[in-house]
Amino acid sequence: MTKRAQVGSEDIAIVLAVVDHGSVSAAARSLGLNHATVLRRIADFETRTGVRMFDKTTRGYQVCPDRADMIEVMRDAMEGMGAVDRLLDQARPKLQAGLRLTTTDTLAHYVLPQVLPGLIRTMDAPIEVTVDNAHVDFARMQAHLTVRPAMTLPPELSALPAGQIRFAVFGPLESDVPWLGLTGPLARTKAATWVRAQPGRIVAYGDSFMALAAMAGQGMGRTVLPTYVGAATPNVTCLATPKDLPKVPVWVGSHADFGRSRRVLQARKALAGALKVLPQLA
């Protein structure tokens, strides 16, 4: 009798990270692993199971067309494991490990440091901040709270509005400057759609606004950035504030499974209130 290959939560997390980010390097960054480790884990998973999950293309790793159902089952499995973790967390008398919060790199760098000291005093507990630019998949984040820009939210997320992000075009003042495009998790944003519609060539792509700002600061091109990022970036100028670039709402959310946690609800309300008064999100 052939022994069935065992698949663990770490295997599934790595596969889903590559699916969500579209490349091994981006998945490795999101997981805190190196590129070679993710490559090895994917190869090991496919060898052990005898199932090929990805086609390697010029645009990154693409899920094999007949694996879509398997990917959805993997998401369900991770959501179930995440639910167990959250229920165990609720059963503890207090949030002994502190408050886990996930957000994007730009919010973590430019915005949250202004309000986290007050939140720490309110909660009387340490705050653990995890940065992930991928769209919200809260079951796998295993966090109490998320601070996210999004036009719409998944149904399992209960959230409070915390302001909005405004966008503008930033870059060097020189004429005939090429564009910097948005890829990875940012490729699905309104800003990416706007850039793709503009005349002119795209010479490079970035999967984070911080990376794009750094490239623009080196004179590589112009791009769309949150106004608070562009304003803080050396060697770039606000070139235009197009009216058809929509503002994106910012939310402070928690998973429905945490809806009975008084401390999480208290933290969510305090954090949303603090963010709403910041000029960056006005």
Side-chain angles (χ1 to χ4, degrees), residues 68-139:
D69 290 346
M70 190 178 299
I71 294 298
E72 291 309 308
V73 171
M74 287 182 173
R75 293 194 190 282
D76 290 343
M78 291 303 289
E79 184 173 352
M81 285 184 276
V84 171
D85 286 338
R86 289 189 295 274
L87 290 170
L88 287 171
D89 193 88
Q90 289 178 33
R92 300 186 183 106
K94 55 184 288 188
L95 301 177
Q96 294 158 329
L99 193 72
R100 297 189 300 274
L101 183 154
T102 180
T103 189
T104 65
D105 56 356
T106 58
L107 288 170
H109 186 84
Y110 294 98
V111 177
L112 280 176
Q114 298 175 63
V115 298
L116 286 182
L119 184 63
I120 291 169
R121 288 192 296 271
T122 298
M123 300 304 299
D124 191 25
I127 306 293
E128 177 184 333
V129 178
T130 300
V131 172
D132 188 341
N133 288 333
H135 281 232
V136 175
D137 187 355
F138 209 74

Side-chain angles (χ1 to χ4, degrees), residues 10-217:
E10 290 187 2
D11 294 316
I12 296 175
I14 289 174
V15 169
L16 291 178
V18 176
V19 172
D20 292 340
H21 292 278
S23 74
V24 170
S25 57
R29 288 194 298 271
S30 73
L31 295 167
L33 302 174
N34 62 52
H35 186 275
T37 298
V38 174
L39 276 177
R40 177 177 55 79
R41 294 291 297 270
I42 290 294
D44 178 64
F45 175 86
E46 293 182 333
T47 299
R48 281 188 292 111
T49 61
V51 175
R52 187 164 64 91
M53 296 296 299
F54 299 101
D55 289 324
K56 188 176 181 180
T57 72
T58 57
R59 294 188 61 82
Y61 276 62
Q62 303 294 319
V63 180
C64 295
D66 55 349
R67 301 290 181 246
D69 290 346
M70 190 178 299
I71 294 298
E72 291 309 308
V73 171
M74 287 182 173
R75 293 194 190 282
D76 290 343
M78 291 303 289
E79 184 173 352
M81 285 184 276
V84 171
D85 286 338
R86 289 189 295 274
L87 290 170
L88 287 171
D89 193 88
Q90 289 178 33
R92 300 186 183 106
K94 55 184 288 188
L95 301 177
Q96 294 158 329
L99 193 72
R100 297 189 300 274
L101 183 154
T102 180
T103 189
T104 65
D105 56 356
T106 58
L107 288 170
H109 186 84
Y110 294 98
V111 177
L112 280 176
Q114 298 175 63
V115 298
L116 286 182
L119 184 63
I120 291 169
R121 288 192 296 271
T122 298
M123 300 304 299
D124 191 25
I127 306 293
E128 177 184 333
V129 178
T130 300
V131 172
D132 188 341
N133 288 333
H135 281 232
V136 175
D137 187 355
F138 209 74
R140 292 196 292 116
M141 288 177 181
Q142 299 182 15
H144 299 106
L145 293 174
T146 184
V147 181
R148 293 274 150 181
M151 301 303 290
T152 59
L153 294 171
E156 71 272 13
L157 204 64
S158 175
L160 296 173
Q164 58 186 3
I165 295 177
R166 291 170 286 122
F167 292 87
V169 178
F170 290 87
L173 279 173
E174 290 83 354
S175 60
D176 194 28
V177 177
W179 286 96
L180 303 173
L182 287 66
T183 189
L186 296 183
R188 298 186 292 269
T189 64
K190 299 287 186 181
T193 302
W194 189 91
V195 170
R196 287 194 294 266
Q198 304 311 303
R201 63 194 179 106
I202 297 177
V203 296
Y205 290 84
D207 67 353
S208 96
F209 286 120
M210 291 183 68
L212 288 164
M215 289 191 284

